[in-house]
Amino acid sequence: MDSAIIGTWLAALLTLGIMSFLYKDNLYYKICEAIFIGISAGLWFITYFWDSLYRIAWIGVVHEGRYVLLGGVVLGVMMLMRLFGKIGWIARWPLAFIVGATAGLKMMVYFTTNAMAQIHGTVNDTMAAFGGSGLYDVVGRIVILIGTVTGLVYFYFSKEHKGLFGGVAKVGTWFLMITFGASFGYTVMSRMSLLLGRIDFLLTDWLKLVK
Amino acid sequence: MLALLRIAKLVVFISSSLFVISLLPTHSVHSQDASPSGSNLGPITVRAHDTDNDAGGSVTVEWDDPGYEKMSGFAGFLIWRTNTLTGTSDSVEVTPFGTHSYDDRSVSDDSTYSYLVAALVNSERVMSAPSMQVRSAKQWFDSRLTWVLILGLIICGAVIYFIESAKRGTKLFLRRIAGLEAIDEAVGRATEMGRPILFVAGIQDMDDVQTIAGLTILGSIARTVAEYDTKINMPVRASLVMTAARETIKHAYVTAGRPDAYNDDMVHYVTDEQFGFVAAVDGIMVRERPAACFFLGAFFAESLIMAETGNSIGAIQVAGTAMPAQLPFFVAACDYTLIGEELFAASAYLSGEPRQLGSLKGADVGKAIAMIVILVGVIATTIASAWNSESMLWIENLLRKMFSTG
Amino acid sequence: MGLIISAVVIGGGLLWILYLSIKGQDVDRRIVYLFVGATVALAIIFRLEFGEVATPIVKSVFDKIENLPAGSKIVLSYDFDPAMAPEVNPMANAFIRHILEKKHRLFFMSLWATGQSLLSVSLNDVLKPEFPDAKYGVDYCNLGYKAGNEGVLNVVITNFRKMFPSDANGNSLDSLPMFKDVESLKDMDLLISVGGGKPGVKEWVLFAGDPGKIATAGGSAAVSTPLLYPYWPRQLIGLLGGTKGAAEYEAELIKTHPRFKDKGMPALRMMGPQTMAHVVIIAFIVIGNVAYFRSRRKGKQS
Amino acid sequence: MKRQIPMLILSAVGTLLVVSVFIPSARHWQEDASLYFDIIAVFAFFLGGGNLIRVHTEKVNRKSTGWIYSVVTLLGFGIMLVTGLFKIGNPNGIAGDLSQTGSYFQLLFQYVMSPLNSTMYALLAFYVASASYRAFRAKNTEATILLVAAFVILLGRTALGVLLTNWIPAQLSVLQIPNLAIWIMNAPNLAGQRAIMIGISLGVISMSLRLLLGIERSYLGGDN
């Protein structure tokens, strides 16, 4: 028996084990889950170890002389102080570094790619899809305009959703619902193809029922 | 002394340029009969200037093509650089057809350079005159981001203004968010039933703001949990999130006056693998049967797997994410969903602290600006295209410029 | 036979669920799961295929190629990598078959380095065996891959020879008869980009089709298709989205040109089980609502 | 002190990174920050992995329910560590690429991890079905709108949608279901997406400012 045959059997048994969860939680699933957790946690640790610790930190500092990276190592070691009760508080420093960096960086990223680019896109793409002057285009433009603005009104926090403002916000929720319904409907097919891949594996590669 | 040095530099520059030209197998640009196919083309003009908005170390060379590209046998433009301080010269690059500018990134800010561009036609080189001397430099401000800065300052200014005014005691009104009111209800029900609550702060690490937003909400939930003495179970996918979540819950227990009841095991690392984590969370759900599940953070395809499993055990589920693609699944399978911005606003709401609430009012100013710009923009483009209105076109172009991000 | 078994099992099952729902009984979620699994499995075992009907956005591409006079010049660009290939490769192959069948002249190229090898696979597996009479340089040619992303388009829209001094095999373009009356992209009758990333269909529209006023069509992976919808029908004459779009094109192709029937239409075959599952989900939504309205009416009466 | 210094670090780092966006020569700070993050994350893994080992060893020691699964998890973790750290079976030895074909690490990935992963992912298909059956009911206006939008898009993606509305004349072709589906994607769907994305970015800005100003700091823990 070569390793490919053993491998296929192993893969098939694990596939069935995970699927058995759909019926109910059971011993078979629990074993697969335990294997999954153990193997994958190990896999990620190894990946981190070689990619970050060895390649970035070790090669970077020792071989390429990028001493600026030592700062990261120092912060990383501080993180480990968590293991020693008395000076465990020092682990907050790297944590503060990370939260600060995330807040600073992401604030700018979201501002440019989400806010500015979306406002820009609303004006631009509207013209791409509905740039003409026929009824179809005019309706399209009006719908985009109303949808975007009322949607933003829904997210407006500092005014009670009552009266006219409430009505506008209500229209905003309708647009959000269309968005959710449309995204749901659009993704169904690609989700099905995942299952197709697994069942195809079981029937074709493993059981060889289908040629 | 200084004048002498300058003269010396100039001499070096001129002589080296001449030297270069003499070395190249070429003919004077101005001698017309020497052009490869005898055509009557003007000289190539070259301009070199410091590359805009960069960190230095780069010069942009631009040139006009009087028509060499159209000649048969054209092979490209050769860019030739002379370091006018040292007098050394070298070829930098041969650019392909259709390119009329080049960023030379191999220069030093400490030297000055001059450039020549030669059209390569049938193994002959038609040279331009050397460009003016140029020195690369770094810029202190990226001028392309002027509007980003201005708009950013307006919005941040608004947020800070409302934080300050709230601090001084100005009363702020905020509308209710149904999903947040459900949080207390969910924790209360778990207490009554004597069952734990499950909290998942998304599947991203601490470098995603959504994870941090999830943890800030965890702070409020954990305080209620501590007061009610309910059990909380929080599996995490990233070790850093584990550390941060422990700090958060511990702090909540201390604030609630129950530091003794806190236990590190409330938060436990599972695995970094997306679906391995999901397999484990599903297992926890069906075995421990939490009465309430919170999914607050960044989620991907696993959103529906977890939410449907939670639904099958009859738990109250509150979800929140800023991943637009996953919102539909949470909306379909959970009792309450915090949509996008509501996730980030939640902790401010829950804290009830005036300064935090003030920051939300500031963000509303940003929304008002966005609405006005979109209205004006779409109306202006419509009028501009329908009636060729100059003024509307001007507005349209201004808005495009303001909101273009490079 | 397989179709009958499947129809009985699935149709009967759905009716039973409908009956249960109307009676007000809760249908266990496990029955729903079993159903989805059985549907997909049956469709795979019996290799069920359904006649797809082309949606207008696909039909317009098909009609364009179908109605162009023989000898029209069409560019087909392979702008994708192996990861995307299962979804978009069937489109490219269907285009090749259709274009050569209609005796058009086909210019292959690629803006993705990885597209080049996929292109040779298509040439060797589809074009050469199925169109042995097609002559290189007369009926088709392969310009190969050029680095430079949309910059390549910026150039070839005014001049092919500057960007491509020779084709992928090293022949100068002037030695290829089909290039005799071709100066730039503007001499083409149709541009087709098959791809799902950047550069891809969008870049072909913005940097070639639009500025040159050349008819442009595309095929793209399902995820990136919604981003391209805004360009239809003005800047894109049509678009094939995902396996579904490919299957529709294949269906249209074998309807009009039955000789391709036995060539194996991979997208159609892949679509069979997906369509089945899709229909089952639509049925579930309908049944769910029927049950809901029944129970509400009952609630009102009592 | 135990809270002030972290607060100071947080505000300083955050502010510097915001400023760095505008200064061309400071942009590399952003890359440095992400590299720091990667390095800190590895060290943090020693805490996470340690936690995993401790939790499961304790279960085994106490022979609590399901302890046998903990043995399996620990075994899996151990096997992966050994094969990965020493690159067992790797044709190119310790210097070889981690995912080199033929290495045990790669075999475990291919035959154990991959099928588990894609099967878990594939479960989505079942959950999509059960969610559609249960949740898409016309209970109120919002739910009805959601349902109708989803239904039109779903129909538009099957042959049924084409066949149902083929009779609509060309002038009104936008009402044919496939075209209607595209229109929904193009107009109302896009509008909703935009509102959500713009809202999100403003939410991130206000939350980031709360963090940088030190108004929100529950995750930094208390004074002890």
Side-chain angles (χ1 to χ4, degrees):
Chain A
M1 286 246 286
D2 64 33
S3 68
I5 294 176
I6 302 172
T8 307
W9 270 84
L10 193 58
L13 291 177
L14 292 169
T15 302
L16 289 174
I18 294 289
M19 283 191 174
S20 73
F21 181 73
L22 290 170
Y23 179 64
K24 66 177 209 199
D25 189 32
N26 61 77
L27 184 133
Y28 192 3
Y29 175 76
K30 285 183 195 167
I31 293 174
C32 292
E33 180 198 321
I35 296 174
F36 202 173
I37 295 172
I39 296 272
S40 64
L43 181 128
W44 277 92
F45 176 62
I46 292 297
T47 315
Y48 283 144
F49 178 85
W50 289 112
D51 282 358
S52 301
L53 202 58
Y54 177 73
R55 213 170 45 79
I56 298 179
W58 179 257
I59 301 261
V61 175
V62 178
H63 293 278
E64 293 167 3
R66 298 172 64 192
Y67 297 110
V68 66
L69 295 177
L70 275 179
V73 176
V74 170
L75 287 170
V77 172
M78 283 179 172
M79 199 82 212
L80 289 182
M81 295 302 141
R82 174 62 47 210
L83 292 171
F84 309 101
K86 269 240 164 85
I87 45 168
W89 52 269
I90 211 162
R92 284 179 199 162
W93 293 19
L95 210 55
F97 175 90
I98 286 169
V99 174
T102 306
L105 277 179
K106 292 300 155 81
M107 182 166 128
M108 292 311 295
V109 170
Y110 274 90
F111 182 54
T112 51
T113 60
N114 262 22
M116 307 240 325
Q118 289 301 322
I119 294 172
H120 192 248
T122 309
V123 179
N124 265 357
D125 288 2
T126 308
M127 294 316 280
F130 305 106
S133 48
L135 182 67
Y136 174 79
D137 296 280
V138 173
V139 170
R141 277 208 295 268
I142 292 175
V143 167
I144 289 196
L145 200 60
I146 293 179
T148 316
V149 171
T150 55
L152 280 170
V153 167
Y154 166 79
F155 287 112
Y156 211 83
F157 294 125
S158 53
K159 196 161 161 56
E160 183 86 86
H161 285 179
K162 273 198 312 211
L164 177 67
F165 195 78
V168 173
K170 188 100 188 151
V171 175
T173 56
W174 295 346
F175 273 94
L176 294 183
M177 289 304 144
I178 296 181
T179 303
F180 296 151
S183 323
F184 192 106
Y186 191 81
T187 32
V188 165
M189 197 164 269
S190 59
R191 300 306 189 219
M192 286 302 149
S193 66
L194 297 168
L195 176 63
L196 194 67
R198 283 335 283 166
I199 295 190
D200 193 42
F201 164 76
L202 288 179
L203 296 179
T204 313
D205 298 348
W206 180 51
L207 294 177
K208 306 209 187 310
L209 273 178
V210 186
K211 283 281 162 342
Chain B
M1 192 58 206
L2 210 68
L4 264 179
L5 197 69
R6 270 198 200 136
I7 292 169
K9 273 190 199 170
L10 198 67
V11 170
V12 170
F13 170 59
I14 293 172
S15 56
S16 61
S17 305
L18 288 175
F19 177 68
V20 169
I21 293 172
S22 68
L23 273 186
L24 291 165
T26 183
H27 309 269
S28 160
V29 187
H30 302 287
S31 65
Q32 292 167 357
D33 53 9
S35 332
S37 55
S39 67
N40 191 359
L41 293 176
I44 302 172
T45 42
V46 179
R47 293 169 307 282
H49 59 84
D50 173 40
T51 306
D52 296 329
N53 304 315
D54 71 343
S58 173
V59 166
T60 302
V61 186
E62 293 171 317
W63 59 94
D64 298 322
D65 169 40
Y68 290 103
E69 283 181 350
K70 293 223 168 64
M71 295 168 73
S72 66
F74 171 79
F77 289 109
L78 169 81
I79 296 162
W80 188 271
R81 175 183 64 194
T82 304
N83 183 327
T84 52
L85 284 188
T86 61
T88 51
S89 294
D90 48 356
S91 74
V92 184
E93 177 79 25
V94 176
T95 63
F97 177 89
T99 322
H100 296 126
S101 83
Y102 177 77
D103 287 352
D104 178 6
R105 291 180 209 280
S106 55
V107 297
S108 148
D109 288 357
D110 302 326
S111 267
T112 51
Y113 301 88
S114 171
Y115 289 84
L116 293 174
V117 172
L120 305 178
V121 185
N122 289 334
S123 77
E124 286 187 69
R125 302 181 177 195
V126 187
M127 304 287 299
S128 69
S131 72
M132 303 277 280
Q133 283 191 59
V134 62
R135 184 195 284 270
S136 64
K138 66 177 163 202
Q139 278 73 48
W140 285 104
F141 178 71
D142 186 339
S143 61
R144 289 167 298 182
L145 298 178
T146 311
W147 279 109
V148 174
L149 181 67
I150 294 172
L151 293 165
L153 283 177
I154 292 174
I155 292 171
C156 293
V159 173
I160 293 170
Y161 169 79
F162 282 108
I163 290 176
E164 288 302 317
S165 79
K167 209 154 70 178
R168 284 194 306 271
T170 314
K171 270 252 171 278
L172 295 171
F173 172 82
L174 286 179
R175 71 168 171 91
R176 54 183 286 273
I177 295 180
L180 292 179
E181 287 164 9
I183 288 182
D184 265 347
E185 179 198 330
V187 178
R189 200 172 78 146
T191 315
E192 276 167 32
M193 299 170 78
R195 299 221 304 244
I197 69 165
L198 178 83
F199 191 100
V200 180
I203 63 153
Q204 291 295 88
D205 209 332
M206 289 298 284
D207 57 347
D208 191 310
V209 266
Q210 300 181 55
T211 313
I212 300 179
L215 291 183
T216 57
I217 304 173
L218 172 69
S220 303
I221 293 180
R223 205 163 331 139
T224 323
V225 166
E227 279 158 12
Y228 289 179
D229 205 13
T230 318
K231 259 184 76 187
I232 185 168
N233 187 345
M234 181 174 175
V236 297
R237 213 212 78 172
S239 308
L240 277 172
V241 181
M242 179 184 84
T243 317
R246 283 179 176 169
E247 292 284 0
T248 311
I249 297 181
K250 195 169 173 186
H251 179 55
Y253 271 74
V254 171
T255 318
R258 313 231 21 227
D260 49 307
Y262 170 78
N263 176 351
D264 262 354
D265 289 343
M266 291 167 173
V267 186
H268 55 101
Y269 169 81
V270 179
T271 169
D272 272 74
E273 181 65 42
Q274 180 187 11
F275 288 106
F277 178 69
V278 178
V281 172
D282 269 8
I284 292 172
M285 281 198 250
V286 294
R287 280 161 226 151
E288 293 191 1
R289 305 208 153 253
C293 299
F294 296 96
F295 306 112
L296 301 163
F299 289 88
F300 292 85
E302 69 287 345
S303 61
L304 188 67
I305 302 182
M306 297 202 278
E308 273 293 291
T309 310
N311 184 284
S312 75
I313 55 165
I316 291 193
Q317 303 199 94
V318 181
T321 187
M323 305 298 271
Q326 301 310 324
L327 280 167
F329 300 110
F330 277 145
V331 169
C334 293
D335 299 281
Y336 298 94
T337 307
L338 301 175
I339 300 166
E341 187 180 2
E342 293 174 340
L343 171 72
F344 300 106
S347 69
Y349 261 89
L350 291 169
S351 75
E353 199 204 327
R355 290 184 304 166
Q356 298 224 26
L357 299 177
S359 72
L360 299 181
K361 176 123 182 128
D364 277 356
V365 173
K367 267 163 265 176
I369 295 176
M371 283 188 258
I372 292 167
V373 170
I374 289 171
L375 270 171
V376 172
V378 173
I379 292 172
T381 47
T382 304
I383 298 178
S385 69
W387 289 285
N388 281 324
S389 158
E390 284 287 323
S391 53
M392 286 298 151
L393 195 67
W394 182 82
I395 293 179
E396 183 190 337
N397 288 334
L398 175 74
L399 289 179
R400 271 176 212 261
K401 209 174 114 194
M402 278 173 75
F403 289 92
S404 89
T405 45
Chain C
M1 180 60 192
L3 192 66
I4 297 170
I5 298 178
S6 313
V8 169
V9 173
I10 293 166
L14 282 174
L15 284 174
W16 178 59
I17 293 179
L18 180 66
Y19 172 73
L20 284 184
S21 301
I22 289 176
K23 266 181 52 186
Q25 281 185 22
D26 257 345
V27 177
D28 193 290
R29 62 179 68 229
R30 276 173 280 199
I31 293 176
V32 176
Y33 299 153
L34 182 69
F35 232 78
V36 174
T39 310
V40 175
L42 283 173
I44 293 180
I45 291 174
F46 297 118
R47 290 177 159 263
L48 295 186
E49 279 178 32
F50 300 93
E52 286 283 334
V53 185
T55 49
I57 195 167
V58 172
K59 188 83 163 56
S60 52
V61 189
F62 184 87
D63 290 347
K64 177 82 183 178
I65 296 179
E66 186 70 20
N67 298 329
L68 277 173
S72 296
K73 287 157 283 191
I74 301 177
V75 171
L76 180 59
S77 185
Y78 274 57
D79 307 327
F80 56 95
D81 60 9
M84 264 181 271
E87 254 187 295
V88 297
N89 217 1
M91 299 175 189
N93 290 339
F95 281 135
I96 294 177
R97 292 189 172 109
H98 193 197
I99 291 168
L100 290 181
E101 181 71 11
K102 295 299 291 183
K103 305 263 180 260
H104 298 310
R105 284 181 273 170
L106 183 48
F107 300 76
F108 289 101
M109 60 179 281
S110 173
L111 295 179
W112 283 44
T114 43
Q116 177 63 33
S117 54
L118 294 155
L119 206 171
S120 350
V121 174
S122 280
L123 288 181
N124 290 327
D125 294 359
V126 178
L127 197 147
K128 285 174 190 165
E130 291 181 29
F131 298 92
D133 299 336
K135 266 181 65 184
Y136 189 85
V138 179
D139 302 300
Y140 71 98
C141 68
N142 178 8
L143 292 169
Y145 160 73
K146 259 289 172 309
N149 299 334
E150 54 267 28
V152 175
L153 301 178
N154 271 334
V155 175
V156 291
I157 194 160
T158 56
N159 196 325
F160 255 116
R161 289 170 178 79
K162 296 297 178 189
M163 202 73 207
F164 296 95
S166 63
D167 69 359
N169 309 323
N171 309 309
S172 94
L173 297 197
D174 293 317
S175 71
L176 304 174
M178 64 191 296
F179 260 100
K180 213 173 67 201
D181 51 347
V182 173
E183 161 89 19
S184 69
L185 277 186
K186 288 185 190 140
D187 299 312
M188 296 292 158
D189 299 294
L190 177 63
L191 311 176
I192 304 173
S193 162
V194 177
K198 195 181 172 208
V201 182
K202 188 175 171 183
E203 283 66 34
W204 275 90
V205 169
L206 297 181
F207 294 94
D210 233 17
K213 309 234 175 322
I214 316 158
T216 308
S220 73
V223 277
S224 44
T225 303
L227 304 173
L228 295 168
Y229 280 151
Y231 298 99
W232 184 71
R234 233 176 240 110
Q235 288 125 305
L236 269 175
I237 59 163
L239 180 69
L240 278 59
T243 308
K244 164 83 179 145
E248 289 176 24
Y249 201 94
E250 289 177 349
E252 204 66 18
L253 186 63
I254 52 180
K255 200 170 81 189
T256 329
H257 305 283
R259 86 169 182 99
F260 292 115
K261 218 164 200 157
D262 56 338
K263 293 295 179 223
M265 292 287 153
L268 267 179
R269 216 176 51 223
M270 274 199 277
M271 271 314 284
Q274 290 192 50
T275 309
M276 290 270 282
H278 222 85
V279 170
V280 165
I281 286 193
I282 292 177
F284 274 134
I285 295 182
V286 174
I287 293 173
N289 276 286
V290 169
Y292 172 72
F293 281 106
R294 283 291 296 208
S295 68
R296 210 170 61 163
R297 198 172 304 156
K298 267 200 194 126
K300 271 189 193 146
Q301 279 166 357
S302 58
Chain D
M1 273 306 274
K2 285 176 188 171
R3 292 195 74 172
Q4 271 81 344
I5 294 178
M7 212 44 249
L8 203 69
I9 295 177
L10 190 153
S11 302
V13 171
T15 314
L16 282 177
L17 286 173
V18 168
V19 172
S20 77
V21 171
F22 297 98
I23 304 174
S25 50
R27 292 229 173 96
H28 65 96
W29 293 352
Q30 301 173 15
E31 286 144 41
D32 290 343
S34 343
L35 288 179
Y36 273 34
F37 176 84
D38 286 347
I39 297 172
I40 299 172
V42 197
F43 282 96
F45 190 93
F46 287 101
L47 300 179
N51 176 249
L52 183 84
I53 295 174
R54 200 181 53 77
V55 167
H56 288 284
T57 343
E58 249 170 45
K59 263 193 190 165
V60 176
N61 284 344
R62 276 192 270 117
K63 294 272 187 297
S64 48
T65 40
W67 65 273
I68 195 77
Y69 307 112
S70 294
V71 175
V72 176
T73 299
L74 288 171
L75 267 177
F77 189 65
I79 290 173
M80 219 55 193
L81 286 194
V82 173
T83 53
L85 279 182
F86 303 107
K87 302 201 176 166
I88 295 176
N90 197 316
N92 301 339
I94 195 80
D97 186 26
L98 197 53
S99 51
Q100 183 74 42
T101 325
S103 67
Y104 285 17
F105 190 82
Q106 176 61 20
L107 285 176
L108 281 168
F109 180 81
Q110 191 181 342
Y111 291 118
V112 179
M113 271 288 287
S114 279
L116 284 169
N117 237 334
S118 38
T119 311
M120 203 66 212
Y121 197 177
L123 291 190
L124 254 183
F126 297 104
Y127 292 127
V128 162
S130 66
S132 309
Y133 173 63
R134 184 175 42 75
F136 283 16
R137 298 187 179 183
K139 288 175 193 150
N140 49 42
T141 323
E142 278 83 12
T144 312
I145 292 174
L146 180 91
L147 168 71
V148 170
F151 205 73
V152 171
I153 303 282
L154 277 167
L155 269 184
R157 289 180 68 66
T158 58
L160 212 58
V162 186
L163 298 174
L164 276 179
T165 49
N166 250 348
W167 51 271
I168 295 179
Q171 299 94 305
L172 293 172
S173 65
V174 67
L175 293 178
Q176 291 175 2
I177 285 179
N179 289 337
L180 198 58
I182 291 175
W183 185 82
I184 290 179
M185 296 299 281
N186 261 351
N189 165 60
L190 208 59
Q193 296 277 11
R194 291 248 150 84
I196 293 173
M197 308 243 291
I198 295 170
I200 287 171
S201 71
L202 292 163
V204 171
I205 291 174
S206 86
M207 195 188 75
S208 297
L209 283 174
R210 289 202 297 275
L211 292 166
L212 296 184
L213 295 173
I215 297 174
E216 169 79 75
R217 49 181 167 183
S218 52
Y219 54 89
L220 276 182
D223 279 318
N224 38 20

